[in-house]
Amino acid sequence: MQQRETIIVLDFGGQYNQLIARRVRECGVYCEIYSYRTPLETIRAKNPRGIILTGGPNSVYDPASATCTADLFAMGVPVLGICYGSQLMMHLLGGRVERAPEREYGKTEVYVDTESLLFQEVNPTTICWMSHNDYISQAAPGFKVIAHTDHCPVAAVEAPDKGLYAVQFHPEVLHTQQGSLMLSNFVYKVCGCAGDWKMDSFVEQSIQNIRAKVGNGKVLCALSGGVDSSVAAVMLAKAVGRQLTCVFVDHGLLRKDEGDQVEAVFGPEGPYDLNFIRVNAQQRFYDKLAGQDDPETKRKIIGEEFIRVFEEEAKKIGRVDYLVQGTIYPDVVESGLGGESAVIKSHHNVGGLPDYVDFKEIIEPLRDLFKDEVRAAGRELGLPEALVARQPFPGPGLAVRIIGAVTPEKVRMVQEADAIFREEMANFGLANAASQYFAALTNMRSVGVMGDERTYDYAVALRAVSTSDFMTAESVQLPWELLGKVTSRIVNEVPHVNRVLYDCTGKPPATIEFE
Ligand code: XMP
């Protein structure tokens, strides 16, 4: 098999490491992230077409800062330094970096030399995103200055004969209006890539690889109905058909009708040829959760019961050769295997499964993909849009959207309220106006009046947030008219709800989910 063209992002701890890789891939070139600590030999062995150095929180003149060897610039592989990466390149090659008299932060007009390959077809004056305390006061010998701002004499440099480029601003963020064009110029015009990263060929190739690997082995997949496990399952189904068994555990904490929707796609009436097992374990979960009101205890109970149910099903199937997991690239990077900025993940949908199933090897067909690429692969595989574009949904499901103890009645209340909210968001043309939105059931009961009757019933909270990474989020300003419509429908249609509240809190200080 021909080697895939690869650009390597060397991560110096910048907050945009994944964004750089995503932007490069959007240009049609495959890109992977590695820590700056990665030995040069390892990088060389990957035969990259180009290397991008990320930003980072340090100052190059601090001896404790993240650094790399200057040999990196002499490998004959083009390098683009971004922000800290640009300063590091200048510092290591004999330029000068100093603390700037004034911090430059925000959207800034940059004057670029459009003769440079990096800036071809870029406007001579273009808006870029700046965020730096240090600045390059003198370019390294052999480098030409190709951009400046009113405050920053060296906003970009090049040594085209060596394939070295550096920019002080962040081309990867959307605030840099022509940033994608600059990255595209780097990968195509400087690195000479052809652009072989396409979802249709990725899907095709993956199916062939899986088929070759699995042979006539047996494969087991825990299907949650979420985007990742669904796309992974379909890819496996296309590769090995009935050698695949998907187990879908309905824990009774899914959104309204969701279990049936999953069954409609993956079950015997659906378009795919696979073995589908739906386990209706609702009552088991409700029994275990009865009277439990501590959020972490609820999560733990659900996680453990999930494993138990899955294990029972797996035992019925007997020994399998492969277990499928829907791991995606950000999981790989964030678990510290890829880049530098490790994030500690507390949630795992099917945590610990491998310990409970007798299998030979794990297959992770989406391991190289970002979330938007997983969705694109899903579309390529013909999955319905509702499934592919699905919002994130927590593994413990509605249990973390019901404050306090879970009862089947409360599950029904939150399911109904949530379905109304989603339906009205769609009716108002706002189905995609927030990254995640849902109804939650507060544990608060309060006095109300219905007809001539006094009521003492529950309050439903509506939440809609916008976020790019789910680590921070803002509450979305929804039209009052929509909120009014949803409120009146919920109090009229959902028994025992007499108040509807809208959550205006961002994250931090609140989290997205209520528990
Ligand atoms: P929080 O509530 O932590 O949510 O702001 C951030 C994102 O993670 C999802 N979430 C979970 N996902 N298991 C999951 O699989 C969980 O226990 C869990 N808790 C929160 C949440 O929906 C949001 O997208």
Side-chain angles (χ1 to χ4, degrees):
M1 192 178 73
Q2 206 192 340
Q3 202 206 357
R4 190 153 70 197
E5 291 176 340
T6 303
I7 297 285
I8 285 184
V9 168
L10 262 200
D11 183 7
F12 288 89
Q15 56 179 322
Y16 301 127
N17 59 358
Q18 292 196 26
L19 203 50
I20 298 172
R22 273 170 57 191
R23 292 278 174 268
V24 169
R25 291 194 193 184
E26 281 165 14
C27 296
V29 177
Y30 184 67
C31 185
E32 285 183 347
I33 304 168
Y34 292 95
S35 162
Y36 72 90
R37 299 169 212 264
T38 311
L40 198 61
E41 282 320 303
T42 312
I43 295 172
R44 204 194 304 269
K46 303 210 170 279
N47 197 16
R49 301 299 293 262
I51 296 172
I52 299 180
L53 314 182
T54 74
N58 305 103
S59 287
V60 290
Y61 42 76
D62 176 351
S65 290
T67 188
C68 64
T69 154
D71 296 344
L72 183 82
F73 305 111
M75 288 200 310
V77 177
V79 181
L80 170 65
I82 294 178
C83 196
Y84 178 78
S86 73
Q87 297 166 1
L88 188 65
M89 186 192 289
M90 290 302 95
H91 178 69
L92 291 172
L93 296 178
R96 198 180 318 133
V97 178
E98 291 175 87
R99 166 115 330 199
E102 241 177 284
R103 178 171 188 231
E104 207 177 22
Y105 182 83
K107 289 184 189 173
T108 309
E109 268 189 342
V110 178
Y111 313 107
V112 305
D113 176 355
T114 54
E115 297 284 302
S116 166
L117 283 183
L118 196 61
F119 296 136
Q120 288 206 351
E121 292 175 49
V122 173
N123 299 332
T125 302
T126 183
I127 300 289
C128 299
W129 182 256
M130 286 284 189
S131 170
H132 60 117
N133 291 317
D134 292 345
Y135 80 120
I136 300 165
S137 54
Q138 198 186 323
F143 279 82
K144 177 179 169 208
V145 176
I146 50 170
H148 67 279
T149 73
D150 290 337
H151 297 287
C152 182
V154 185
V157 294
E158 68 173 11
D161 49 324
K162 300 193 188 87
L164 303 180
Y165 292 78
V167 293
Q168 179 58 71
F169 51 84
H170 288 275
E172 70 278 18
V173 305
L174 290 178
H175 300 307
T176 297
Q177 285 172 356
Q178 293 176 292
S180 287
L181 177 56
M182 297 171 195
L183 288 173
S184 162
N185 282 342
F186 178 68
V187 298
Y188 288 106
K189 302 209 160 100
V190 176
C191 303
C193 291
D196 63 3
W197 179 242
K198 304 219 166 50
M199 233 1 94
D200 51 353
S201 48
F202 171 81
V203 165
E204 191 53 41
Q205 190 64 50
S206 301
I207 291 174
Q208 283 176 27
N209 294 350
I210 292 168
R211 207 171 275 151
K213 177 173 186 154
V214 171
N216 48 21
K218 267 181 161 182
V219 187
L220 178 62
C221 173
L223 187 67
S224 70
V227 182
D228 304 341
S229 71
S230 298
V231 174
V234 173
M235 206 177 257
L236 263 295
K238 295 241 168 166
V240 300
R242 293 204 159 255
Q243 288 160 251
L244 170 70
T245 301
C246 285
V247 175
F248 167 55
V249 177
D250 187 342
H251 53 20
L253 300 161
L254 298 168
R255 292 177 294 191
K256 189 180 177 188
D257 299 331
E258 204 161 46
D260 295 341
Q261 285 161 5
V262 172
E263 184 166 349
V265 174
F266 293 97
E269 309 296 320
Y272 305 111
D273 194 27
L274 52 89
N275 299 301
F276 175 79
I277 299 173
R278 174 175 179 174
V279 191
N280 287 312
Q282 292 90 333
Q283 199 54 49
R284 280 179 68 161
F285 282 85
Y286 297 154
D287 289 347
K288 288 269 165 168
L289 285 168
Q292 302 288 349
D293 58 8
D294 174 63
E296 286 310 305
T297 310
K298 283 159 69 177
R299 275 203 172 77
K300 203 161 157 257
I301 290 172
I302 294 165
E304 282 174 8
E305 195 60 15
F306 185 91
I307 288 173
R308 206 149 298 142
V309 175
F310 191 82
E311 195 182 15
E312 284 168 23
E313 289 309 314
K315 281 212 178 92
K316 288 183 203 159
I317 299 166
R319 187 180 157 77
V320 295
D321 300 284
Y322 299 93
L323 182 70
V324 183
Q325 296 223 306
T327 317
I328 69 172
Y329 194 54
D331 302 332
V332 176
V333 175
E334 284 162 19
S335 63
L337 294 176
E340 188 51 32
S341 30
V343 174
I344 300 180
K345 273 212 150 180
S346 56
H347 327 120
H348 279 285
N349 288 345
V350 285
L353 267 187
D355 297 341
Y356 296 84
V357 181
D358 187 12
F359 69 101
K360 204 163 70 185
E361 211 179 311
I362 289 183
I363 297 186
E364 296 175 311
L366 312 177
R367 204 183 149 80
D368 289 341
L369 303 188
F370 284 110
K371 194 81 184 188
D372 35 7
E373 294 172 323
V374 174
R375 294 190 209 278
R379 290 188 183 103
E380 208 50 62
L381 288 159
L383 268 169
E385 191 57 27
L387 237 169
V388 168
R390 200 169 173 275
Q391 294 179 24
F393 186 68
L398 300 179
V400 295
R401 295 181 181 171
I402 294 171
I403 299 178
V406 172
T407 64
E409 290 68 37
K410 287 185 174 177
V411 171
R412 266 188 290 282
M413 282 157 81
V414 78
Q415 277 177 337
E416 292 302 328
D418 183 71
I420 291 170
F421 187 24
R422 283 190 288 139
E423 195 181 311
E424 292 303 334
M425 285 288 278
N427 289 345
F428 276 73
L430 296 173
N432 299 316
S435 317
Q436 200 173 359
Y437 53 93
F438 53 86
L441 187 67
T442 74
N443 210 9
M444 183 193 81
R445 293 171 77 193
S446 64
V447 175
V449 56
M450 198 85 137
D452 292 333
E453 298 272 316
R454 176 189 185 276
T455 58
Y456 188 62
D457 277 330
Y458 286 97
V460 158
L462 304 177
R463 185 144 178 71
V465 294
S466 72
T467 173
S468 56
D469 57 7
F470 296 88
M471 313 279 278
T472 60
E474 282 162 48
S475 175
V476 175
Q477 286 193 33
L478 293 181
W480 197 243
E481 202 191 340
L482 161 73
L483 291 173
K485 178 83 189 288
V486 175
T487 302
S488 102
R489 280 196 58 194
I490 291 177
V491 292
N492 281 305
E493 295 174 36
V494 186
H496 301 296
V497 175
N498 65 356
R499 255 175 228 274
V500 176
L501 313 171
Y502 187 65
D503 187 347
C504 304
T505 331
K507 172 184 178 177
T511 52
I512 295 175
E513 302 292 348
F514 279 55
E515 286 200 336

